[in-house]
Amino acid sequence: MLSKPLVGITADSTETGSHRAHVVVDKYISAVVEGADALALVVPALGAMQSSAALVDALDGLVFTGSLSNVEPHHYGGAPSTPGTLHDRARDATTLPLMRAAIGAGVPVLAICRGFQEMNVVFGGTLDQRVHEVDGRHDHRENRSASLDVQYGPSHVVRLAPGGVLHALMGGLDEAWVNSLHTQGVAELAPGLAVEAVAPDGLIEAVRVEGAHAFALGVQWHPEWRHASDPLSTGIFRAFGEACRARREGRCARPART
């Protein structure tokens, strides 16, 4: 019997040399193992080759990671992407049905950056593919020529929704500083999602799933980067880990199937 909850971390499908590979960046794994105090399991981007229901049944939580790729716009009725935009069809085929199944089954979910955008798409929302080209929006992209500490450093404040999950994690504070490393963002918010945080330009930066049976939070920024030192990031992973432990304890308390 496992002593800690088992958390799946979604992988990107890519190539290593001439071989297909499934990749998760270390920062997500470290945040799950250390910040959520859980066991980490990479979920490969295999689409229908692996049953979403079977994965949900095996896991105590799921982290939907950020990525250099974007959700293909046909999933939300968007216009074709600008030439050169990176997509990952295998990831879309894995994460979109998996997120639906996980939230429906009461599996705790933390969705980050691309994962946050996937959450909006899963529930019927749309995305702006190039936020910096939308009237009234700021440029939320990072400077990729800068060091990682600069790229992932505090970029702007977000206003936290009163009474929300993040507002409570911050002890009732109304604002928090976050990093910003994204080109796409929420255009139309999906039904069933409640706003948790908003950027100064009005862009939605965090949501929760209303009526979810367990923790179901999506954030546009990257709390995994400084999960041990930033109060909001620490709080997010601790709360997620607690939800995963609660699911594990509930599963262990159920009578064995015969």
Short mmCIF file of all heavy atoms in Angstrom, two decimals, residues 33-104:
data_model
loop_
_atom_site.label_atom_id
_atom_site.label_comp_id
_atom_site.label_asym_id
_atom_site.label_seq_id
_atom_site.Cartn_x
_atom_site.Cartn_y
_atom_site.Cartn_z
N VAL A 33 6.47 16.33 -5.89
CA VAL A 33 7.12 15.49 -4.87
C VAL A 33 7.38 16.28 -3.59
O VAL A 33 7.12 15.79 -2.48
CB VAL A 33 8.43 14.91 -5.43
CG1 VAL A 33 9.24 14.22 -4.34
CG2 VAL A 33 8.14 13.95 -6.57
N GLU A 34 7.88 17.49 -3.72
CA GLU A 34 8.25 18.29 -2.56
C GLU A 34 7.10 19.17 -2.08
O GLU A 34 6.80 19.21 -0.88
CB GLU A 34 9.46 19.16 -2.88
CG GLU A 34 10.70 18.37 -3.26
CD GLU A 34 11.84 19.24 -3.79
OE1 GLU A 34 11.62 20.47 -3.98
OE2 GLU A 34 12.93 18.69 -4.02
N GLY A 35 6.48 19.88 -2.99
CA GLY A 35 5.45 20.84 -2.61
C GLY A 35 4.13 20.21 -2.22
O GLY A 35 3.45 20.67 -1.29
N ALA A 36 3.74 19.14 -2.94
CA ALA A 36 2.48 18.44 -2.63
C ALA A 36 2.71 17.21 -1.77
O ALA A 36 1.74 16.56 -1.36
CB ALA A 36 1.77 18.05 -3.93
N ASP A 37 3.98 16.85 -1.51
CA ASP A 37 4.34 15.68 -0.71
C ASP A 37 3.66 14.42 -1.26
O ASP A 37 2.97 13.69 -0.54
CB ASP A 37 3.97 15.89 0.75
CG ASP A 37 4.59 14.83 1.68
OD1 ASP A 37 5.63 14.26 1.30
OD2 ASP A 37 4.03 14.59 2.76
N ALA A 38 3.86 14.20 -2.56
CA ALA A 38 3.20 13.10 -3.24
C ALA A 38 4.21 12.32 -4.08
O ALA A 38 5.34 12.76 -4.29
CB ALA A 38 2.08 13.63 -4.13
N LEU A 39 3.78 11.17 -4.56
CA LEU A 39 4.56 10.40 -5.52
C LEU A 39 4.17 10.84 -6.92
O LEU A 39 2.98 11.03 -7.22
CB LEU A 39 4.29 8.90 -5.35
CG LEU A 39 4.65 8.30 -4.00
CD1 LEU A 39 4.18 6.85 -3.94
CD2 LEU A 39 6.15 8.38 -3.76
N ALA A 40 5.16 11.03 -7.78
CA ALA A 40 4.92 11.54 -9.13
C ALA A 40 4.95 10.40 -10.15
O ALA A 40 5.83 9.53 -10.10
CB ALA A 40 5.97 12.58 -9.50
N LEU A 41 4.01 10.45 -11.08
CA LEU A 41 3.94 9.48 -12.17
C LEU A 41 3.71 10.22 -13.47
O LEU A 41 2.76 11.00 -13.59
CB LEU A 41 2.79 8.49 -11.93
CG LEU A 41 2.56 7.45 -13.01
CD1 LEU A 41 3.66 6.39 -12.97
CD2 LEU A 41 1.20 6.78 -12.83
N VAL A 42 4.59 10.02 -14.44
CA VAL A 42 4.43 10.67 -15.74
C VAL A 42 3.32 9.99 -16.53
O VAL A 42 3.31 8.77 -16.68
CB VAL A 42 5.75 10.64 -16.54
CG1 VAL A 42 5.55 11.18 -17.95
CG2 VAL A 42 6.83 11.44 -15.81
N VAL A 43 2.38 10.78 -17.03
CA VAL A 43 1.28 10.27 -17.86
C VAL A 43 1.64 10.54 -19.33
O VAL A 43 1.63 11.68 -19.77
CB VAL A 43 -0.05 10.95 -17.51
CG1 VAL A 43 -1.16 10.46 -18.43
CG2 VAL A 43 -0.41 10.70 -16.05
N PRO A 44 2.00 9.51 -20.08
CA PRO A 44 2.41 9.72 -21.47
C PRO A 44 1.25 10.18 -22.35
O PRO A 44 0.08 9.91 -22.05
CB PRO A 44 2.91 8.34 -21.90
CG PRO A 44 2.21 7.38 -21.01
CD PRO A 44 2.03 8.09 -19.70
N ALA A 45 1.60 10.87 -23.43
CA ALA A 45 0.60 11.39 -24.36
C ALA A 45 0.24 10.32 -25.38
O ALA A 45 0.65 10.37 -26.55
CB ALA A 45 1.12 12.66 -25.05
N LEU A 46 -0.55 9.34 -24.95
CA LEU A 46 -0.89 8.19 -25.79
C LEU A 46 -2.30 8.25 -26.33
O LEU A 46 -2.73 7.33 -27.04
CB LEU A 46 -0.70 6.89 -24.99
CG LEU A 46 0.74 6.57 -24.58
CD1 LEU A 46 0.75 5.31 -23.71
CD2 LEU A 46 1.64 6.39 -25.79
N GLY A 47 -3.05 9.28 -25.99
CA GLY A 47 -4.40 9.39 -26.50
C GLY A 47 -5.25 8.19 -26.10
O GLY A 47 -5.22 7.73 -24.96
N ALA A 48 -5.99 7.67 -27.08
CA ALA A 48 -6.92 6.57 -26.82
C ALA A 48 -6.23 5.24 -26.52
O ALA A 48 -6.89 4.27 -26.14
CB ALA A 48 -7.87 6.40 -28.00
N MET A 49 -4.91 5.16 -26.69
CA MET A 49 -4.19 3.93 -26.37
C MET A 49 -4.31 3.58 -24.89
O MET A 49 -4.19 2.42 -24.51
CB MET A 49 -2.72 4.04 -26.76
CG MET A 49 -2.46 4.03 -28.25
SD MET A 49 -0.70 4.24 -28.61
CE MET A 49 -0.01 2.77 -27.84
N GLN A 50 -4.49 4.61 -24.04
CA GLN A 50 -4.69 4.38 -22.61
C GLN A 50 -6.04 4.98 -22.22
O GLN A 50 -6.33 6.13 -22.54
CB GLN A 50 -3.59 5.02 -21.77
CG GLN A 50 -2.28 4.28 -21.80
CD GLN A 50 -1.39 4.61 -20.62
OE1 GLN A 50 -0.89 3.74 -19.94
NE2 GLN A 50 -1.16 5.87 -20.39
N SER A 51 -6.83 4.21 -21.51
CA SER A 51 -8.16 4.65 -21.10
C SER A 51 -8.08 5.75 -20.05
O SER A 51 -7.41 5.61 -19.03
CB SER A 51 -8.93 3.45 -20.54
OG SER A 51 -10.02 3.86 -19.76
N SER A 52 -8.80 6.86 -20.30
CA SER A 52 -8.88 7.93 -19.30
C SER A 52 -9.51 7.41 -18.01
O SER A 52 -9.07 7.74 -16.91
CB SER A 52 -9.71 9.10 -19.84
OG SER A 52 -9.05 9.75 -20.90
N ALA A 53 -10.53 6.57 -18.15
CA ALA A 53 -11.21 6.02 -16.97
C ALA A 53 -10.25 5.18 -16.13
O ALA A 53 -10.27 5.24 -14.89
CB ALA A 53 -12.41 5.19 -17.39
N ALA A 54 -9.40 4.40 -16.78
CA ALA A 54 -8.45 3.57 -16.06
C ALA A 54 -7.41 4.43 -15.34
O ALA A 54 -7.02 4.13 -14.20
CB ALA A 54 -7.77 2.60 -17.01
N LEU A 55 -6.94 5.49 -15.98
CA LEU A 55 -5.99 6.39 -15.34
C LEU A 55 -6.61 7.07 -14.13
O LEU A 55 -6.00 7.16 -13.06
CB LEU A 55 -5.51 7.45 -16.34
CG LEU A 55 -4.52 6.98 -17.41
CD1 LEU A 55 -4.34 8.04 -18.48
CD2 LEU A 55 -3.17 6.65 -16.78
N VAL A 56 -7.83 7.55 -14.31
CA VAL A 56 -8.53 8.22 -13.22
C VAL A 56 -8.69 7.27 -12.03
O VAL A 56 -8.52 7.66 -10.87
CB VAL A 56 -9.90 8.73 -13.72
CG1 VAL A 56 -10.83 9.05 -12.55
CG2 VAL A 56 -9.71 9.95 -14.61
N ASP A 57 -8.98 6.04 -12.31
CA ASP A 57 -9.19 5.05 -11.25
C ASP A 57 -7.89 4.76 -10.50
O ASP A 57 -7.92 4.38 -9.32
CB ASP A 57 -9.74 3.76 -11.86
CG ASP A 57 -10.22 2.78 -10.80
OD1 ASP A 57 -11.05 3.18 -9.95
OD2 ASP A 57 -9.76 1.63 -10.81
N ALA A 58 -6.75 4.95 -11.17
CA ALA A 58 -5.46 4.60 -10.57
C ALA A 58 -4.81 5.76 -9.81
O ALA A 58 -3.91 5.53 -9.01
CB ALA A 58 -4.50 4.11 -11.65
N LEU A 59 -5.25 6.99 -10.07
CA LEU A 59 -4.54 8.16 -9.56
C LEU A 59 -5.29 8.87 -8.45
O LEU A 59 -6.52 8.82 -8.37
CB LEU A 59 -4.29 9.14 -10.72
CG LEU A 59 -3.38 8.63 -11.84
CD1 LEU A 59 -3.39 9.59 -13.01
CD2 LEU A 59 -1.96 8.42 -11.33
N ASP A 60 -4.51 9.57 -7.61
CA ASP A 60 -5.07 10.38 -6.53
C ASP A 60 -5.08 11.87 -6.86
O ASP A 60 -5.61 12.67 -6.09
CB ASP A 60 -4.28 10.15 -5.24
CG ASP A 60 -4.29 8.69 -4.83
OD1 ASP A 60 -5.38 8.12 -4.72
OD2 ASP A 60 -3.19 8.12 -4.65
N GLY A 61 -4.48 12.24 -7.97
CA GLY A 61 -4.45 13.64 -8.40
C GLY A 61 -3.81 13.75 -9.76
O GLY A 61 -3.13 12.81 -10.21
N LEU A 62 -4.02 14.88 -10.41
CA LEU A 62 -3.44 15.12 -11.73
C LEU A 62 -2.98 16.56 -11.85
O LEU A 62 -3.71 17.49 -11.49
CB LEU A 62 -4.47 14.83 -12.83
CG LEU A 62 -4.56 13.39 -13.33
CD1 LEU A 62 -5.87 13.16 -14.06
CD2 LEU A 62 -3.38 13.09 -14.25
N VAL A 63 -1.77 16.73 -12.38
CA VAL A 63 -1.26 18.05 -12.75
C VAL A 63 -1.18 18.11 -14.27
O VAL A 63 -0.54 17.26 -14.91
CB VAL A 63 0.13 18.31 -12.14
CG1 VAL A 63 0.72 19.60 -12.70
CG2 VAL A 63 0.05 18.38 -10.62
N PHE A 64 -1.85 19.10 -14.83
CA PHE A 64 -1.81 19.35 -16.27
C PHE A 64 -0.80 20.48 -16.49
O PHE A 64 -1.02 21.61 -16.07
CB PHE A 64 -3.20 19.72 -16.80
CG PHE A 64 -4.16 18.56 -16.76
CD1 PHE A 64 -4.79 18.20 -15.57
CD2 PHE A 64 -4.41 17.81 -17.89
CE1 PHE A 64 -5.65 17.12 -15.52
CE2 PHE A 64 -5.28 16.72 -17.86
CZ PHE A 64 -5.90 16.38 -16.67
N THR A 65 0.30 20.15 -17.14
CA THR A 65 1.47 21.03 -17.17
C THR A 65 1.39 22.11 -18.24
O THR A 65 0.57 22.05 -19.16
CB THR A 65 2.72 20.19 -17.45
OG1 THR A 65 2.56 19.55 -18.74
CG2 THR A 65 2.93 19.14 -16.39
N GLY A 66 2.30 23.06 -18.12
CA GLY A 66 2.54 24.00 -19.19
C GLY A 66 3.31 23.34 -20.32
O GLY A 66 3.81 22.22 -20.19
N SER A 67 3.43 24.06 -21.44
CA SER A 67 4.09 23.48 -22.62
C SER A 67 4.41 24.59 -23.60
O SER A 67 3.79 25.66 -23.59
CB SER A 67 3.16 22.45 -23.28
OG SER A 67 3.70 21.97 -24.49
N LEU A 68 5.37 24.32 -24.48
CA LEU A 68 5.63 25.23 -25.59
C LEU A 68 4.57 25.11 -26.68
O LEU A 68 4.42 25.98 -27.53
CB LEU A 68 7.01 24.96 -26.19
CG LEU A 68 8.21 25.25 -25.28
CD1 LEU A 68 9.51 24.86 -25.99
CD2 LEU A 68 8.25 26.73 -24.89
N SER A 69 3.82 24.00 -26.65
CA SER A 69 2.78 23.79 -27.66
C SER A 69 1.46 24.42 -27.20
O SER A 69 1.26 24.71 -26.02
CB SER A 69 2.58 22.29 -27.91
OG SER A 69 2.00 21.67 -26.78
N ASN A 70 0.56 24.59 -28.17
CA ASN A 70 -0.76 25.16 -27.90
C ASN A 70 -1.86 24.19 -28.30
O ASN A 70 -1.67 23.36 -29.19
CB ASN A 70 -0.95 26.46 -28.70
CG ASN A 70 -0.01 27.55 -28.25
OD1 ASN A 70 0.14 27.79 -27.05
ND2 ASN A 70 0.64 28.23 -29.19
N VAL A 71 -2.99 24.30 -27.64
CA VAL A 71 -4.16 23.50 -28.00
C VAL A 71 -4.54 23.83 -29.44
O VAL A 71 -4.62 25.01 -29.81
CB VAL A 71 -5.34 23.80 -27.06
CG1 VAL A 71 -6.58 23.01 -27.49
CG2 VAL A 71 -4.98 23.50 -25.61
N GLU A 72 -4.77 22.80 -30.25
CA GLU A 72 -5.18 23.06 -31.64
C GLU A 72 -6.53 23.79 -31.63
O GLU A 72 -7.47 23.37 -30.95
CB GLU A 72 -5.26 21.76 -32.42
CG GLU A 72 -3.90 21.18 -32.74
CD GLU A 72 -3.94 20.19 -33.90
OE1 GLU A 72 -5.04 19.73 -34.26
OE2 GLU A 72 -2.85 19.89 -34.42
N PRO A 73 -6.65 24.87 -32.39
CA PRO A 73 -7.82 25.74 -32.29
C PRO A 73 -9.14 25.10 -32.71
O PRO A 73 -10.21 25.59 -32.34
CB PRO A 73 -7.47 26.94 -33.18
CG PRO A 73 -6.35 26.49 -34.03
CD PRO A 73 -5.61 25.46 -33.27
N HIS A 74 -9.10 24.00 -33.46
CA HIS A 74 -10.37 23.39 -33.85
C HIS A 74 -11.11 22.83 -32.63
O HIS A 74 -12.33 22.62 -32.68
CB HIS A 74 -10.15 22.29 -34.90
CG HIS A 74 -9.48 21.06 -34.38
ND1 HIS A 74 -10.15 20.06 -33.71
CD2 HIS A 74 -8.18 20.65 -34.45
CE1 HIS A 74 -9.32 19.09 -33.39
NE2 HIS A 74 -8.11 19.42 -33.81
N HIS A 75 -10.39 22.64 -31.52
CA HIS A 75 -11.04 22.13 -30.31
C HIS A 75 -11.96 23.17 -29.68
O HIS A 75 -12.84 22.81 -28.88
CB HIS A 75 -10.00 21.69 -29.28
CG HIS A 75 -9.27 20.45 -29.65
ND1 HIS A 75 -9.87 19.22 -29.72
CD2 HIS A 75 -7.95 20.24 -29.97
CE1 HIS A 75 -8.98 18.29 -30.06
NE2 HIS A 75 -7.81 18.89 -30.22
N TYR A 76 -11.78 24.44 -30.00
CA TYR A 76 -12.65 25.48 -29.44
C TYR A 76 -13.24 26.38 -30.53
O TYR A 76 -13.74 27.47 -30.22
CB TYR A 76 -11.91 26.31 -28.39
CG TYR A 76 -10.60 26.93 -28.84
CD1 TYR A 76 -10.55 28.19 -29.45
CD2 TYR A 76 -9.39 26.27 -28.64
CE1 TYR A 76 -9.35 28.76 -29.83
CE2 TYR A 76 -8.19 26.82 -29.02
CZ TYR A 76 -8.18 28.06 -29.63
OH TYR A 76 -6.98 28.63 -30.02
N GLY A 77 -13.22 25.92 -31.78
CA GLY A 77 -13.82 26.68 -32.86
C GLY A 77 -13.03 27.90 -33.26
O GLY A 77 -13.59 28.86 -33.81
N GLY A 78 -11.72 27.91 -32.99
CA GLY A 78 -10.88 29.05 -33.31
C GLY A 78 -10.37 29.02 -34.74
O GLY A 78 -10.43 27.99 -35.43
N ALA A 79 -9.86 30.15 -35.20
CA ALA A 79 -9.28 30.25 -36.53
C ALA A 79 -7.98 29.47 -36.58
O ALA A 79 -7.33 29.23 -35.55
CB ALA A 79 -9.02 31.72 -36.87
N PRO A 80 -7.54 29.05 -37.77
CA PRO A 80 -6.27 28.33 -37.88
C PRO A 80 -5.13 29.13 -37.27
O PRO A 80 -5.10 30.36 -37.33
CB PRO A 80 -6.09 28.17 -39.40
CG PRO A 80 -7.49 28.18 -39.94
CD PRO A 80 -8.23 29.16 -39.07
N SER A 81 -4.18 28.43 -36.68
CA SER A 81 -3.06 29.08 -36.02
C SER A 81 -2.13 29.77 -37.02
O SER A 81 -2.08 29.41 -38.20
CB SER A 81 -2.24 28.05 -35.23
OG SER A 81 -3.01 27.44 -34.24
N THR A 82 -1.38 30.74 -36.52
CA THR A 82 -0.35 31.38 -37.32
C THR A 82 0.67 30.32 -37.74
O THR A 82 1.04 29.46 -36.93
CB THR A 82 0.35 32.47 -36.49
OG1 THR A 82 -0.61 33.43 -36.06
CG2 THR A 82 1.45 33.17 -37.30
N PRO A 83 1.13 30.35 -38.99
CA PRO A 83 2.14 29.37 -39.43
C PRO A 83 3.33 29.35 -38.47
O PRO A 83 3.81 30.39 -38.03
CB PRO A 83 2.55 29.88 -40.82
CG PRO A 83 1.32 30.58 -41.32
CD PRO A 83 0.72 31.24 -40.10
N GLY A 84 3.79 28.14 -38.16
CA GLY A 84 4.91 27.97 -37.25
C GLY A 84 4.51 27.73 -35.81
O GLY A 84 5.37 27.43 -34.97
N THR A 85 3.21 27.87 -35.49
CA THR A 85 2.75 27.60 -34.13
C THR A 85 2.92 26.12 -33.81
O THR A 85 2.56 25.26 -34.60
CB THR A 85 1.27 27.99 -33.98
OG1 THR A 85 1.11 29.39 -34.26
CG2 THR A 85 0.77 27.73 -32.56
N LEU A 86 3.47 25.85 -32.64
CA LEU A 86 3.70 24.46 -32.24
C LEU A 86 2.44 23.85 -31.64
O LEU A 86 1.83 24.42 -30.73
CB LEU A 86 4.84 24.41 -31.21
CG LEU A 86 5.21 23.01 -30.69
CD1 LEU A 86 5.71 22.12 -31.82
CD2 LEU A 86 6.26 23.13 -29.59
N HIS A 87 2.04 22.70 -32.16
CA HIS A 87 0.91 21.96 -31.62
C HIS A 87 1.38 20.57 -31.22
O HIS A 87 2.46 20.12 -31.58
CB HIS A 87 -0.22 21.87 -32.65
CG HIS A 87 -0.87 23.19 -32.94
ND1 HIS A 87 -1.55 23.90 -31.98
CD2 HIS A 87 -0.95 23.92 -34.10
CE1 HIS A 87 -2.01 25.02 -32.52
NE2 HIS A 87 -1.66 25.07 -33.79
N ASP A 88 0.52 19.89 -30.47
CA ASP A 88 0.83 18.54 -29.98
C ASP A 88 -0.48 17.76 -29.97
O ASP A 88 -1.19 17.72 -28.96
CB ASP A 88 1.45 18.63 -28.58
CG ASP A 88 1.94 17.29 -28.05
OD1 ASP A 88 1.53 16.25 -28.60
OD2 ASP A 88 2.73 17.29 -27.08
N ARG A 89 -0.80 17.13 -31.10
CA ARG A 89 -2.08 16.44 -31.23
C ARG A 89 -2.19 15.29 -30.24
O ARG A 89 -3.28 15.01 -29.71
CB ARG A 89 -2.24 15.92 -32.66
CG ARG A 89 -2.42 17.01 -33.69
CD ARG A 89 -2.67 16.43 -35.07
NE ARG A 89 -2.88 17.49 -36.05
CZ ARG A 89 -3.12 17.28 -37.33
NH1 ARG A 89 -3.18 16.02 -37.79
NH2 ARG A 89 -3.31 18.29 -38.16
N ALA A 90 -1.08 14.62 -29.98
CA ALA A 90 -1.11 13.50 -29.05
C ALA A 90 -1.44 13.98 -27.64
O ALA A 90 -2.18 13.32 -26.90
CB ALA A 90 0.21 12.76 -29.07
N ARG A 91 -0.91 15.13 -27.26
CA ARG A 91 -1.24 15.68 -25.94
C ARG A 91 -2.71 16.08 -25.90
O ARG A 91 -3.41 15.76 -24.93
CB ARG A 91 -0.36 16.88 -25.62
CG ARG A 91 -0.87 17.59 -24.37
CD ARG A 91 0.10 18.49 -23.69
NE ARG A 91 -0.58 19.21 -22.62
CZ ARG A 91 0.00 19.70 -21.56
NH1 ARG A 91 1.30 19.57 -21.40
NH2 ARG A 91 -0.69 20.34 -20.63
N ASP A 92 -3.21 16.78 -26.92
CA ASP A 92 -4.62 17.15 -26.93
C ASP A 92 -5.51 15.92 -26.79
O ASP A 92 -6.50 15.93 -26.05
CB ASP A 92 -4.98 17.86 -28.25
CG ASP A 92 -4.40 19.26 -28.37
OD1 ASP A 92 -3.89 19.79 -27.36
OD2 ASP A 92 -4.44 19.82 -29.48
N ALA A 93 -5.14 14.85 -27.51
CA ALA A 93 -5.95 13.63 -27.49
C ALA A 93 -5.90 12.94 -26.13
O ALA A 93 -6.77 12.12 -25.82
CB ALA A 93 -5.46 12.67 -28.57
N THR A 94 -4.90 13.28 -25.33
CA THR A 94 -4.76 12.70 -24.00
C THR A 94 -5.39 13.58 -22.93
O THR A 94 -6.21 13.14 -22.13
CB THR A 94 -3.28 12.48 -23.67
OG1 THR A 94 -2.68 11.66 -24.68
CG2 THR A 94 -3.11 11.81 -22.31
N THR A 95 -4.97 14.84 -22.90
CA THR A 95 -5.34 15.70 -21.77
C THR A 95 -6.79 16.16 -21.78
O THR A 95 -7.39 16.28 -20.71
CB THR A 95 -4.42 16.93 -21.72
OG1 THR A 95 -4.46 17.61 -22.99
CG2 THR A 95 -2.98 16.54 -21.41
N LEU A 96 -7.34 16.44 -22.95
CA LEU A 96 -8.71 16.96 -22.96
C LEU A 96 -9.72 15.95 -22.42
O LEU A 96 -10.49 16.27 -21.50
CB LEU A 96 -9.08 17.45 -24.36
CG LEU A 96 -8.19 18.58 -24.92
CD1 LEU A 96 -8.67 19.02 -26.30
CD2 LEU A 96 -8.12 19.78 -23.97
N PRO A 97 -9.73 14.71 -22.91
CA PRO A 97 -10.65 13.74 -22.31
C PRO A 97 -10.27 13.35 -20.88
O PRO A 97 -11.15 13.07 -20.06
CB PRO A 97 -10.59 12.53 -23.26
CG PRO A 97 -9.32 12.69 -24.02
CD PRO A 97 -9.07 14.15 -24.12
N LEU A 98 -8.98 13.34 -20.58
CA LEU A 98 -8.54 12.98 -19.24
C LEU A 98 -8.99 14.00 -18.21
O LEU A 98 -9.43 13.65 -17.10
CB LEU A 98 -7.02 12.82 -19.20
CG LEU A 98 -6.40 12.42 -17.87
CD1 LEU A 98 -6.97 11.10 -17.36
CD2 LEU A 98 -4.87 12.33 -18.00
N MET A 99 -8.92 15.28 -18.55
CA MET A 99 -9.36 16.31 -17.61
C MET A 99 -10.86 16.20 -17.36
O MET A 99 -11.31 16.30 -16.21
CB MET A 99 -9.00 17.70 -18.12
CG MET A 99 -9.31 18.80 -17.09
SD MET A 99 -8.89 20.46 -17.63
CE MET A 99 -7.11 20.41 -17.61
N ARG A 100 -11.63 15.97 -18.41
CA ARG A 100 -13.07 15.80 -18.24
C ARG A 100 -13.36 14.64 -17.28
O ARG A 100 -14.17 14.75 -16.36
CB ARG A 100 -13.74 15.52 -19.59
CG ARG A 100 -13.77 16.67 -20.56
CD ARG A 100 -14.60 16.33 -21.78
NE ARG A 100 -14.46 17.34 -22.82
CZ ARG A 100 -13.63 17.27 -23.84
NH1 ARG A 100 -12.86 16.20 -23.97
NH2 ARG A 100 -13.56 18.23 -24.73
N ALA A 101 -12.69 13.52 -17.53
CA ALA A 101 -12.93 12.32 -16.72
C ALA A 101 -12.49 12.53 -15.28
O ALA A 101 -13.19 12.12 -14.34
CB ALA A 101 -12.20 11.13 -17.34
N ALA A 102 -11.35 13.17 -15.08
CA ALA A 102 -10.80 13.35 -13.73
C ALA A 102 -11.70 14.25 -12.89
O ALA A 102 -12.05 13.91 -11.74
CB ALA A 102 -9.40 13.94 -13.81
N ILE A 103 -12.10 15.39 -13.42
CA ILE A 103 -12.94 16.30 -12.65
C ILE A 103 -14.30 15.68 -12.39
O ILE A 103 -14.87 15.80 -11.30
CB ILE A 103 -13.05 17.66 -13.37
CG1 ILE A 103 -11.67 18.34 -13.37
CG2 ILE A 103 -14.09 18.55 -12.71
CD1 ILE A 103 -11.61 19.62 -14.17
N GLY A 104 -14.83 14.97 -13.38
CA GLY A 104 -16.11 14.31 -13.19
C GLY A 104 -16.07 13.25 -12.12
O GLY A 104 -17.07 13.00 -11.43
#
